[in-house]
Amino acid sequence: MSTDAALPRVTITYCTQCRWLLRAAWFAQELLTTFHRELGEVALRPATGGVFTVEVDGEMLWDRSERRGFPEITVLKQLVRDRVAPDKPLGHSDARAAAAAPDAAPQDGAADDDEPADDLPADDLPADDALAADGG
C-alpha cells in the first residue's frame, strides 16, 4: 500500500519483567484489526520497570502508572479512534455513538440487560455455581 501521507504509528511499550508481551500483542492485534486502513504501523517496544504505555505518533494515550491499570479494549479503541479517525464508528462498544442515538437505552442501569432472553425461560438458565463447576 502506497500513500502520499504517512499513516499514524501506534507504539505499545510493555514491561518484559512483568511478562506483558501477550497483553501488548493482543492490544496490537485488536488495533490493527479495527484500524487496518487508518494505521500505518503498530510497534511493540520492550522495556522494564512495570511500564505499559500506548502512544500515537509520540502522543501519550495511556500510561498504566498514571491511570492505575490497563485500559479496557473499548476505551483504548476510542482513544486511538479519536486521534486517528474521529469520524469512524466503533459499533456497539462506541460510547459516543450510543450517547448520540436518540433511541439509545439509558446508561444508568435502567435497561433490561438483566432480563433473560425471550426464548429461554429464567428457570432454564444455569445457576452461577453450575457455571463455575463447568469452568465457564
Side-chain angles (χ1 to χ4, degrees):
M1 179 175 136
S2 171
T3 62
D4 293 336
L7 293 172
R9 178 181 201 246
V10 173
T11 304
I12 302 173
T13 305
Y14 66 94
C15 178
T16 57
Q17 295 169 316
C18 304
R19 308 254 191 260
W20 289 337
L21 171 60
L22 189 58
R23 181 186 306 262
W26 181 72
F27 279 136
Q29 173 189 319
E30 287 291 315
L31 292 175
L32 284 169
T33 301
T34 301
F35 301 103
H36 57 97
R37 290 187 179 104
E38 295 85 6
L39 293 176
E41 176 181 3
V42 176
L44 300 179
R45 184 170 51 200
T48 58
V51 66
F52 193 92
T53 61
V54 180
E55 302 170 50
V56 174
D57 291 337
E59 177 187 337
M60 185 69 62
L61 296 185
W62 192 275
D63 185 338
R64 182 185 133 328
S65 64
E66 290 177 6
R67 303 245 191 161
R68 306 283 185 236
F70 298 98
E72 292 291 326
I73 191 60
T74 54
V75 171
L76 184 58
K77 285 181 180 183
Q78 290 167 357
L79 291 170
V80 170
R81 182 271 316 273
D82 291 348
R83 175 66 172 78
V84 304
D87 296 328
K88 182 179 181 78
L90 294 176
H92 70 278
S93 63
D94 193 359
R96 281 193 340 185
D103 59 342
Q107 298 298 316
D108 62 0
D112 16 336
D113 290 338
D114 296 331
E115 294 295 319
D118 292 337
D119 59 340
L120 186 62
D123 55 355
D124 286 348
L125 294 175
D128 288 340
D129 52 346
L131 286 174
D134 288 344

